[in-house]
Amino acid sequence: MSHPPYVIDQMISAKSIAARIEDLAREIETEFAATDKLVVVGLLRGSFVFIADLVRELRLPVEVDFLEASSYGDGTQSSREVRILKDLRATIGGRDVLVVEDIVDTGHTLHHVTALLNSREPAKLKTVALLDKPARREVDLRADYIGFEIPDEFVVGYGIDYGQRDRNLPFIGKVRFTDG
Ligand code: IMP
Ligand code: MG
């Protein structure tokens, strides 16, 4: 896609993200202290940086798996349609599962994914989102664990993209369009 000119203003530093992930990991360890081997499911592609840092903080036996759902096209408009593009390799019936999402916006993606995974009857299913944008919610849903609540801004970095750009930024920044 073509990009109108924009700049990125830092919103959450790499240091703040790392500190918050340490706290989230301690809470998640408590939640799953009795679990044999936790299935940690990253939602592609936006969660790949978050899940990498999160699992390295978890002092728990984990299995890492990925699921790809698409809700956005290549722009900033949310669509209500959610498609599963890549399913899990793991069988999750009777197991404990943690779904890792980059950002919960309208809530449609996480709603659809948790409904799908719950239909496979895991023993326990919890969700963690690095970012939560409650202002734009269209489905009544909240992640069990949230890194940061943010205002209604379009953000990039730390795995999150704008038209497949800026995922590699080490911090979370907000997109600001400039003239020209
Ligand atoms: P939802 O289905 O509207 O909750 O959208 C969730 C997905 O939309 C996230 O996993 C992101 O991939 C994408 N998304 C939502 N907000 C943003 C944003 O501010 N920047 C980039 N992607 C976003
Ligand atoms: Mg996503």
Side-chain angles (χ1 to χ4, degrees):
M1 75 175 271
S2 71
H3 292 78
Y6 65 96
V7 295
I8 296 164
D9 301 323
Q10 180 171 292
M11 181 187 267
I12 307 170
S13 70
K15 237 180 157 166
S16 309
I17 297 168
R20 184 72 189 110
I21 288 176
E22 282 186 35
D23 294 345
L24 287 171
R26 301 295 84 80
E27 293 180 51
I28 292 165
E29 284 164 1
T30 305
E31 173 91 53
F32 295 103
T35 303
D36 262 4
K37 189 171 49 156
L38 177 66
V39 187
V40 182
V41 173
L43 302 193
L44 293 172
R45 284 173 267 178
S47 74
F48 80 104
V49 177
F50 180 36
I51 192 175
D53 283 345
L54 181 65
V55 294
R56 283 181 291 178
E57 274 299 327
L58 286 177
R59 301 192 270 262
L60 286 175
V62 300
E63 177 172 340
V64 176
D65 205 340
F66 294 96
L67 186 146
E68 184 170 13
S70 81
S71 62
Y72 273 43
D74 267 336
T76 63
Q77 278 302 304
S78 174
S79 102
R80 279 158 193 81
E81 212 170 297
V82 178
R83 287 189 304 144
I84 299 299
L85 303 178
K86 183 214 168 290
D87 205 338
L88 296 180
R89 295 289 292 265
T91 304
I92 59 168
R95 300 185 64 188
D96 287 357
V97 178
L98 177 70
V99 176
V100 180
E101 175 62 308
D102 53 355
I103 174 166
V104 180
D105 187 23
T106 64
H108 289 286
T109 306
L110 198 58
H111 171 76
H112 187 89
V113 166
T114 54
L116 173 75
L117 298 184
N118 274 321
S119 75
R120 299 174 187 178
E121 303 186 344
K124 189 196 254 189
L125 186 139
K126 297 285 175 183
T127 56
V128 57
L130 180 68
L131 304 176
D132 185 25
K133 261 198 257 185
R136 287 182 28 101
R137 198 71 87 255
E138 292 173 12
V139 183
D140 183 23
L141 158 159
R142 198 171 187 276
D144 297 298
Y145 298 95
I146 291 166
F148 301 90
E149 195 173 288
I150 61 166
D152 183 12
E153 303 279 2
F154 195 80
V155 295
V156 292
Y158 199 75
I160 301 170
D161 74 303
Y162 170 39
Q164 303 308 327
R165 283 169 54 153
D166 303 318
R167 291 192 197 274
N168 56 322
L169 296 175
F171 57 88
I172 299 286
K174 88 176 198 196
V175 168
R176 178 162 52 87
F177 293 99
T178 54
D179 287 325

